[in-house]
Amino acid sequence: MVSKKKIAVLVLIAIIVVIGVYFLLTYQQSKESFSGEHNILVLCTDPSENRPGVGAVDMAFVVNVNDGQIGNVTPVYPGGLAHPSLTPTADMQAEGLHEWYLHDSLWSDDLENGTKIAQEIVEYHTNMSTDMVVVVTPTAIDAMLNAVGPVTSNGQEVSNVSSIDFLREDQSNHGATRGDAIENLAQGIIDAANKNDKKSELIKVGIEQYTQGNIKAVPSDKVAQFISYEGMNSLIN
């Protein structure tokens, strides 16, 4: 069985793996190692809320990596976590926001600034600093589900429903926390990819989703270094 750490570190296994594969294919000459200790902030977004940026932050994880080995994985629930000093922009205030919450950290279309704000909020409230961010949208998750399906999560078959609707249903009808619901779905994707011999399809659709902008990494080169150091197969298997 795949360990819970590996499920959570990728949130949905292909999020980091496919980014790494993409950059390994693009920058094969890069030999820089991913040594030492690093923290990866993974942001799961919901683009259904009206805003200029990639979407609202629905759930977050901080993943500790030491010399390429996965350590602690800490879920971070966005509710109530506000930036200690930033004042919301005029358009945010027009929507009734008087504090800059993690939920709204990716409000603008400036992804680098948004991920920086998210990192500052997470560090302020958890005392965990992060040096890279991975952002994933439900569109990418839906594509991965379709690539490896059928997928079973928490005893339920995920079919004819969007991933974000399924996650909400898992919470409301089955008592799962948001973090557990995401990890359950990740387990289902991993199991389906292995059982149905669809690892290559998962990687292919992940790269497609990355190039389409539905999976993002900041800074992208550091994520590639992590995959180079750790090895793709150890993450997929």
Side-chain angles (χ1 to χ4, degrees):
M1 176 178 290
V2 179
S3 71
K4 187 174 181 180
K5 279 186 179 181
K6 286 190 178 180
I7 297 168
V9 67
L10 304 179
V11 183
L12 291 160
I13 187 73
I15 293 174
I16 294 178
V17 171
V18 299
I19 293 171
V21 171
Y22 176 82
F23 280 96
L24 288 176
L25 292 174
T26 308
Y27 303 109
Q28 292 183 8
Q29 302 304 313
S30 176
K31 302 297 183 182
E32 184 176 358
S33 66
F34 188 89
S35 60
E37 187 172 5
H38 302 267
N39 283 330
I40 303 172
L41 178 59
V42 182
L43 302 176
C44 303
T45 64
D46 177 3
S48 65
E49 296 188 28
N50 185 29
R51 60 193 64 215
V54 68
V57 175
D58 213 31
M59 184 66 198
F61 295 87
V62 174
V63 181
N64 177 260
V65 181
N66 198 338
D67 287 336
Q69 299 301 307
I70 298 163
N72 292 329
V73 178
T74 306
V76 180
Y77 292 86
L81 302 188
H83 196 282
S85 60
L86 278 182
T87 299
T89 61
D91 57 334
M92 293 173 71
Q93 292 182 45
E95 295 295 326
L97 297 173
H98 303 294
E99 291 189 86
W100 204 315
Y101 292 102
L102 178 59
H103 179 78
D104 305 301
S105 56
L106 303 180
W107 183 279
S108 80
D109 56 7
D110 185 342
L111 183 66
E112 290 197 9
N113 186 56
T115 55
K116 180 176 179 291
I117 292 171
Q119 289 174 295
E120 291 173 353
I121 294 172
V122 169
E123 181 172 6
Y124 177 76
H125 289 279
T126 68
N127 202 32
M128 292 183 292
S129 63
T130 56
D131 50 10
M132 67 190 77
V133 183
V134 174
V135 179
V136 62
T137 67
T139 300
I141 298 172
D142 291 344
M144 294 174 198
L145 286 168
N146 292 332
V148 303
V151 171
T152 300
S153 173
N154 198 18
Q156 310 158 76
E157 183 169 317
V158 187
S159 59
N160 301 318
V161 64
S162 70
S163 57
I164 199 161
D165 287 341
F166 178 83
L167 292 171
R168 288 170 177 161
E169 181 181 340
D170 200 17
Q171 287 180 268
S172 60
N173 294 345
H174 300 93
T177 66
R178 189 59 161 195
D180 285 342
I182 291 173
E183 290 180 7
N184 289 337
L185 188 57
Q187 176 74 74
I189 290 176
I190 296 168
D191 289 346
N194 287 323
K195 179 181 178 181
N196 301 328
D197 194 25
K198 291 185 175 179
K199 292 180 186 177
S200 60
E201 285 88 344
L202 181 61
I203 292 171
K204 178 181 177 182
V205 75
I207 293 173
E208 290 172 352
Q209 291 303 304
Y210 180 84
T211 58
Q212 291 172 21
N214 297 321
I215 299 172
K216 304 176 186 291
V218 180
S220 54
D221 59 330
K222 278 202 173 185
V223 179
Q225 291 166 24
F226 169 53
I227 300 299
S228 301
Y229 191 97
E230 176 69 2
M232 183 184 71
N233 288 334
S234 68
L235 293 172
I236 296 179
N237 292 322

